[in-house]
Amino acid sequence: MSWEPVIGLEVHVQLSTRTKMFCGCELSFGDPPNVHTCSVCLGLPGSLPVANERAVQYALKIGLALECELAPRSIFHRKNYFYPDLSKGYQISQYDEPLCRGGRLGDVRIHRVHLEEDAAKLVHLGQSGRIHGSDRSVVDFNRGGTPLVEIVTEPDLRTPEDAREWLVLLRNTLRQLAVSDVNMEEGSLRCDANVSVRQAGTAELGTKTELKNMNSFRFVERGIRAEVERQVGLLESGQNVVQETLHFDPQGGTLTPLRSKEEAHDYRYFPEPDLVPVRVTEEMVAAARAELPELPAARAERYLELELSADTARRFAYRPDLGDYFERALAVAAAGDGADVSAQSLANWVAELASQLDDADPAESKVAPEALARLAGLVTGRGVTSAVAQQVLGRLVAEGGDPAAIVEAESLATIGGGGELEETVRAAIEANPDAAERVRAGKAEAIGPIVGYVMRETKGRADGGQVTRMVRERLGV
Ligand code: ADP
Ligand code: MG
Ligand code: ZN
């Protein structure tokens, strides 16, 4: 029997507007506590909210980017519950008439996108804040009322890795839209994962659990993986999955129940009487559309037209930092500095650079796009071998500089024909008489140790193809 994970994400995005969702208090991160507050965001009786127009516009941009249907009219609801970080006793959110519905990003369908306000921040002081013998928590209302967009996907993800990769795509898309800082560590991007498993090949969904607020991409992947394993373990031992909310502890890798699932009607949603409906006009949509940058899907199309492989096109579109860097290097190569480098081979060098940088943004590295284009040009023009170019790239990563100058200074240029290589090939055959005999006898693949000898002797500066040809010639095959 094989089990198939089914995953849907609920993502909260703090919008980077200047002021809060329903009042004029400034947004802040890192200011002293409780300095950005007013009667509205403190929830004092009689105060009246007014919706932030810019936040609505940002949400429309997100809706357009995710190819959603924008509601011509949507309304706010009160979601009632008690918690110390919610002084009104309800959160203003959207319920059955959200701003955006449907849509897709990459392979994942979007269920809905709605606007709401963030709660204040509870700070647990623990032992250090003990008062009357018990631990103490305090509330910072600076965050209370920050505009939030909630993005809910359909349960279309199938592996923990895909969930992580898709979340990175969403983060990059939102970053390009310039609507949020999208920083998971700082909480401007927060993700809950809904997870279930089912027998591969069946259509019915299993009972899901919800993993709350994982604050890094890595934890999302690890948390989901741990939960899938837990559910498979339960089902294989004849037990049932219980619908509940879980907390993933990344330290120990453990999952602990937070609470069993509240039903939607527990919140006693009702329309917010203090706010008028949001009417989305054609002008508002046009203005939001005019602010859209090129989005990943369009970018991937463009890269396919440059004849990048489907995998590379998708990767560079999902990672705009790599895509941007690639395009700058390509512009240099096209301007003649790169001796006929193909887009794909340049892309391979960008990918190689990214892996040497441990996936950090190459624009922030010491390797200028010009330098990478030149390096790729040296390889294409057979000035250096790929093996040498790898070493040179390592040097560029560590120190920056110009690849041609490094090749020159270190005498790394490819050894062509001529005496030196002839002599080394002769020595290689002499050192490997058995291999030479087998090649002569028709076993072409036995040539390995002889070519390897030349490569070692020349420290990778010989062209493998050329060496192979020379060896075969000398052996008369
Ligand atoms: P709830 O009412 O519990 O919030 P929803 O139906 O609104 O549940 O779905 C919330 C999220 O859970 C969505 O992202 C959805 O795709 C996902 N989801 C729903 N059912 C499942 C399931 N059986 N397995 C995994 N994810 C699911
Ligand atoms: Mg939910
Ligand atoms: Zn306020």
Side-chain angles (χ1 to χ4, degrees), residues 195-197 205-209 227 231 240-244:
V195 180
S196 65
V197 300
L205 295 178
T207 304
K208 74 173 159 79
T209 57
E227 177 55 9
Q231 291 187 11
N240 289 323
V241 174
V242 179
Q243 182 164 338
E244 60 188 348

Side-chain angles (χ1 to χ4, degrees), residues 460-474:
R461 289 182 302 146
D463 179 281
Q466 190 190 356
V467 172
T468 303
R469 276 192 305 279
M470 289 174 72
V471 172
R472 292 175 59 85
E473 202 169 293
R474 212 168 236 283

Side-chain angles (χ1 to χ4, degrees), residues 80-262:
N80 298 283
Y81 65 98
F82 171 80
Y83 210 65
D85 63 9
L86 192 73
S87 50
K88 289 199 298 288
Y90 58 87
Q91 176 194 29
I92 304 180
S93 181
Q94 296 195 294
Y95 184 51
D96 52 0
E97 296 184 54
L99 195 62
C100 320
R101 273 183 215 270
R104 88 164 33 245
L105 177 66
D107 303 332
V108 175
R109 289 169 303 151
I110 304 294
H111 179 60
R112 60 184 271 155
V113 175
H114 73 246
L115 260 175
E116 58 188 29
E117 59 177 336
D118 207 350
K121 193 178 171 104
L122 262 186
V123 183
H124 302 290
L125 299 177
Q127 296 285 330
S128 68
R130 279 187 96 114
I131 181 168
H132 304 313
S134 51
D135 290 355
R136 200 159 62 117
S137 296
V138 293
V139 188
D140 176 5
F141 281 94
N142 286 349
R143 192 180 81 174
T146 297
L148 275 188
V149 156
E150 180 173 340
I151 299 166
V152 183
T153 76
E154 297 292 349
D156 287 349
L157 291 153
R158 291 293 175 269
T159 68
E161 304 76 48
D162 285 353
R164 172 193 168 141
E165 193 192 329
W166 186 83
L167 199 59
V168 171
L169 169 63
L170 178 65
R171 192 266 314 265
N172 292 343
T173 303
L174 295 167
R175 179 175 286 159
Q176 279 182 291
L177 292 174
V179 294
S180 169
D181 296 338
V182 282
N183 184 323
M184 284 194 94
E185 283 74 33
E186 291 179 354
S188 49
L189 180 69
R190 310 200 285 265
C191 179
D192 304 337
N194 295 271
V195 180
S196 65
V197 300
R198 66 180 172 193
Q199 289 288 306
T202 59
E204 206 179 319
L205 295 178
T207 304
K208 74 173 159 79
T209 57
E210 187 173 2
L211 309 185
K212 271 288 175 203
N213 270 327
M214 290 167 290
N215 63 0
S216 85
F217 293 101
R218 210 153 40 89
F219 295 165
V220 168
E221 181 180 332
R222 282 177 44 201
I224 295 172
R225 183 171 299 122
E227 177 55 9
V228 167
E229 275 169 23
R230 191 188 69 90
Q231 291 187 11
V232 168
L234 283 174
L235 295 172
E236 292 204 328
S237 64
Q239 291 167 275
N240 289 323
V241 174
V242 179
Q243 182 164 338
E244 60 188 348
T245 303
L246 301 164
H247 170 75
F248 174 64
D249 170 22
Q251 242 82 53
T254 52
L255 294 145
T256 41
L258 283 176
R259 56 174 181 239
S260 67
K261 185 75 187 164
E262 301 109 324

